[in-house]
């Protein structure tokens, strides 16, 4: 397969990951409100299972970089300078723009749409720190992670070229670095914002690096269409799915106990549970996608997911605003049957509203893709050609460590 050929199955994974982001954000408050209700079990399960999304996007970032910058590409110092000049603005510009927009939105809500000099001074004074830590709005931290991954890419690329036979060893290095960082944080660093550091997700990142650099080998792991007739493939697949199911059930149980008791368990439960569950989730989802692609590639559902995957970066940026608008315009909802419909409505409103807004902006606003990511070719206006695609990936709520358990946000407590 040519290194320049699109791997459409991964765009479907990108779509499923952004749907996971919306699911986490749409249900996070419910995991607190419904602790004493029968439906808590369902919301805890849905919210926890959707947490695969951040590692999935990290995997996709690693794949994108190592797939498009293959081992035969000899990158010089000038090439890396051009790489940074082209790629980093695609991350930094959206990050700054949406940090400002969401900070303004928070001010408007806090001030009641009044001109409060003291409150303005507080928000302006905190903005620099928020920009540094990715806290202007909870989901923006991931762009900082992506910037770090891009900054490290030349070093990792050079190492991969120097040791071309490393192969699956890349994945082993990813696990080693991720757990070393966890140990340093746990016993020495005590970071308040561990989740903003790329080392937190290094195992899925180097899994993506392995997949991109050795794609034929990786495809043999996940393409059920070609591998199912092989006995070793079937055995490996059954083992993978068994590990995934066991880790998923364990991780759901960990967060069920945590939220019911409002008390944190030992950090290893969160770190190990998250690491194993999300890592295997990426492989399980890819196997399912490759199996579906064989028959469903031309189905409406598959095409819809392909479009959502293409728009995922813009959806990531816009959807919190859509959820905020939905919740502000909604009346008080009792914790009855209608509450579940209201939660589902928030998910649908955030998704559909984001897609419609993006397509309208792409059609009528020149240069919108500089801030919102790639414009799908069929939606590009004649007078507004589409710039290069952003190669970074979106993510979900910010993993923070505040000294207390945040039962609405598992990412916040994994350290």
């Amino acid at each position: 397969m040519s290194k320049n050929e699109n791997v459409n199955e991964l765009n479907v994974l990108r779509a499923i990951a952004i749907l996971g982001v919306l699911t986490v954000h749409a249900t996070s408050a419910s995991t607190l409100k419904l602790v004493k209700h029968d439906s808590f079990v369902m919301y805890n399960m849905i919210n926890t299972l959707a947490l695969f999304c951040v590692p999935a996007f990290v995997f996709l970032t690693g794949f994108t970089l190592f797939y498009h910058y293959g081992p035969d590409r000899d990158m010089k110092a000038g090439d890396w300078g051009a790489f940074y000049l082209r790629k980093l603005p695609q991350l930094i510009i959206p990050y700054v723009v949406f940090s400002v927009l969401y900070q303004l939105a928070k001010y408007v809500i806090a001030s009641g749409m009044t001109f409060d000099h003291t409150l303005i001074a507080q928000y302006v004074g905190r903005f620099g720190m928020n920009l540094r830590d990715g806290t202007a709005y909870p989901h923006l931290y991931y762009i900082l992670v992506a910037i770090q991954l891009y900054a490290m890419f030349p070093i990792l690329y050079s190492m991969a070229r120097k040791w071309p036979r490393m192969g699956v060893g890349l994945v082993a290095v990813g696990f080693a670095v991720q757990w070393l960082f966890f140990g340093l944080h746990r016993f020495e660093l005590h970071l308040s914002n561990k989740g903003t550091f790329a080392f937190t997700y290094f195992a899925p990142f180097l899994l993506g690096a392995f997949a991109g650099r050795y794609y034929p080998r990786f495809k043999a792991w996940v393409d059920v269409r070609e591998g199912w007739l092989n006995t070793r493939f079937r055995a490996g697949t059954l083992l993978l799915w068994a590990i995934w199911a066991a880790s998923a059930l364990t991780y759901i149980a960990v967060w069920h106990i945590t939220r019911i008791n409002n008390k944190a368990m030992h950090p290893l439960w969160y770190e190990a549970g998250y690491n194993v569950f999300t890592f295997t989730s990426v492989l399980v989802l890819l196997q399912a996608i490759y199996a579906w692609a064989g028959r469903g590639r031309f189905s409406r559902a598959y095409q819809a997911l392909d479009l959502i995957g293409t728009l995922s970066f813009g959806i990531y940026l816009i959807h919190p605003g859509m959820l905020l608008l939905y919740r502000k315009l909604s009346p008080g909802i009792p914790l009855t049957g209608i509450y579940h419909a209201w939660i589902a409505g928030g998910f649908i409103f955030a998704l559909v509203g984001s897609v419609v807004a993006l397509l309208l902006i792409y059609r009528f606003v020149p240069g919108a893709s500089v801030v919102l990511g790639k414009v799908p070719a069929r939606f590009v206006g004649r007078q507004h050609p589409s710039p290069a695609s952003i190669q970074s990936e979106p993510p979900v709520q910010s993993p923070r460590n505040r000294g207390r358990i945040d039962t609405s946000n598992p990412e916040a407590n994994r350290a």
Side-chain angles (χ1 to χ4, degrees):
M1 174 176 287
S2 169
K3 280 290 181 182
N4 294 321
E5 183 176 343
N6 289 328
V7 184
N8 292 326
E9 291 84 357
L10 294 188
N11 206 40
V12 176
L13 176 62
R14 186 177 288 109
I16 295 172
I18 195 63
L19 294 179
V21 172
L22 268 66
T23 299
V24 172
H25 288 168
T27 60
S28 58
S30 303
T31 60
L32 286 179
K33 290 183 178 180
L34 300 175
V35 167
K36 297 183 180 180
H37 290 71
D38 293 339
S39 56
F40 168 75
V41 174
M42 177 185 69
Y43 279 96
N44 177 70
M45 179 181 67
I46 292 172
N47 184 271
T48 304
L49 289 176
L51 291 172
F52 74 89
C53 49
V54 170
F57 280 124
V58 172
F59 164 83
L60 288 164
T61 299
F63 179 90
T64 299
L65 288 171
F66 281 86
Y67 186 70
H68 290 291
Y69 293 85
D72 298 329
R73 193 165 181 170
D74 188 15
M75 299 287 287
K76 306 297 184 182
D79 297 323
W80 288 121
F83 170 84
Y84 286 128
L85 287 174
R86 185 173 67 255
K87 297 298 184 182
L88 290 184
Q90 295 176 344
L91 297 171
I92 294 171
I93 292 173
Y95 178 64
V96 173
V97 169
F98 277 88
S99 292
V100 171
L101 291 176
Y102 281 113
Q103 192 83 339
L104 285 173
K106 287 164 65 175
Y107 166 78
V108 169
I109 293 171
S111 66
M113 301 186 71
T114 61
F115 195 77
D116 187 324
H117 292 278
T118 303
L119 195 59
I120 289 174
Q122 291 176 359
Y123 273 82
V124 171
R126 289 200 300 262
F127 183 70
M129 181 179 66
N130 290 341
L131 201 63
R132 180 197 68 192
D133 296 338
T135 53
Y137 214 72
H139 71 304
L140 291 173
Y141 79 97
Y142 185 79
I143 300 184
L144 296 181
V145 173
I147 290 172
Q148 294 168 60
L149 294 174
Y150 274 66
M152 287 186 278
F153 176 58
I155 299 173
L156 296 171
Y157 177 84
S158 299
M159 291 173 61
R161 277 180 59 86
K162 185 175 182 180
W163 295 293
R165 297 184 180 180
M166 182 175 293
V168 182
L170 277 171
V171 183
V173 171
F175 274 103
V177 171
Q178 182 168 325
W179 279 93
L180 175 62
F181 180 66
F182 169 71
L184 288 172
H185 159 71
R186 174 72 178 155
F187 298 108
E188 295 292 338
L189 301 176
H190 308 294
L191 300 167
S192 61
N193 56 342
K194 172 178 172 285
T196 61
F197 291 87
F199 296 121
T200 303
Y201 316 99
F202 229 60
F205 178 67
L206 288 191
L207 175 66
F210 167 77
R213 185 171 175 81
Y214 306 96
Y215 181 67
R217 290 175 60 185
F218 179 76
K219 187 172 182 285
W221 289 7
V222 295
D223 194 343
V224 178
R225 299 167 299 184
E226 298 180 4
W228 192 250
L229 296 178
N230 185 287
T231 302
R232 291 180 61 185
F233 181 91
R234 291 200 302 271
T237 296
L238 292 174
L239 178 61
L240 169 65
W241 281 72
I243 294 172
W244 171 79
S247 62
L249 291 172
T250 301
Y251 201 51
I252 290 168
V254 165
W255 278 106
H256 182 94
I257 295 169
T258 299
R259 286 163 170 157
I260 288 291
N261 297 328
N262 194 28
K263 184 179 179 181
M265 299 170 65
H266 192 281
L268 279 175
W269 282 106
Y270 305 101
E271 192 73 17
Y274 183 85
N275 194 187
V276 177
F277 161 64
T278 58
F279 188 91
T280 55
S281 291
V282 171
L283 297 173
V284 163
L285 281 169
L286 281 172
Q287 285 199 333
I289 292 167
Y290 272 89
W292 181 29
R295 297 181 178 180
R297 182 180 297 278
F298 300 105
S299 68
R300 290 184 178 180
Y302 193 96
Q303 296 300 319
L305 286 176
D306 188 59
L307 172 62
I308 291 171
T310 303
L311 296 173
S312 60
F313 188 72
I315 294 172
Y316 151 70
L317 292 169
I318 290 178
H319 84 272
M322 292 292 176
L323 276 176
L324 186 62
L325 179 64
Y326 178 81
R327 289 163 178 166
K328 289 298 178 182
L329 295 179
S330 300
I333 304 297
L335 299 180
T336 59
I338 195 174
Y339 178 82
H340 308 309
W342 180 73
I343 293 296
F347 174 91
I348 295 170
F349 183 84
L351 175 61
V352 176
S354 296
V355 170
V356 171
L358 285 168
L359 297 183
L360 289 174
I361 293 170
Y362 284 143
R363 176 65 70 178
F364 298 111
V365 179
S369 55
V370 173
V371 175
L372 294 171
K374 180 182 179 181
V375 185
R378 59 187 178 276
F379 295 108
V380 177
R382 292 180 181 178
Q383 70 275 33
H384 308 321
S386 171
S389 168
I390 287 182
Q391 300 295 345
S392 62
E393 310 298 338
V396 73
Q397 293 172 315
S398 174
R400 309 287 174 199
N401 302 296
R402 300 297 189 193
R404 63 181 180 83
I405 192 72
D406 180 357
T407 55
S408 70
N409 180 9
E411 290 267 289
N413 310 294
R414 292 193 298 101

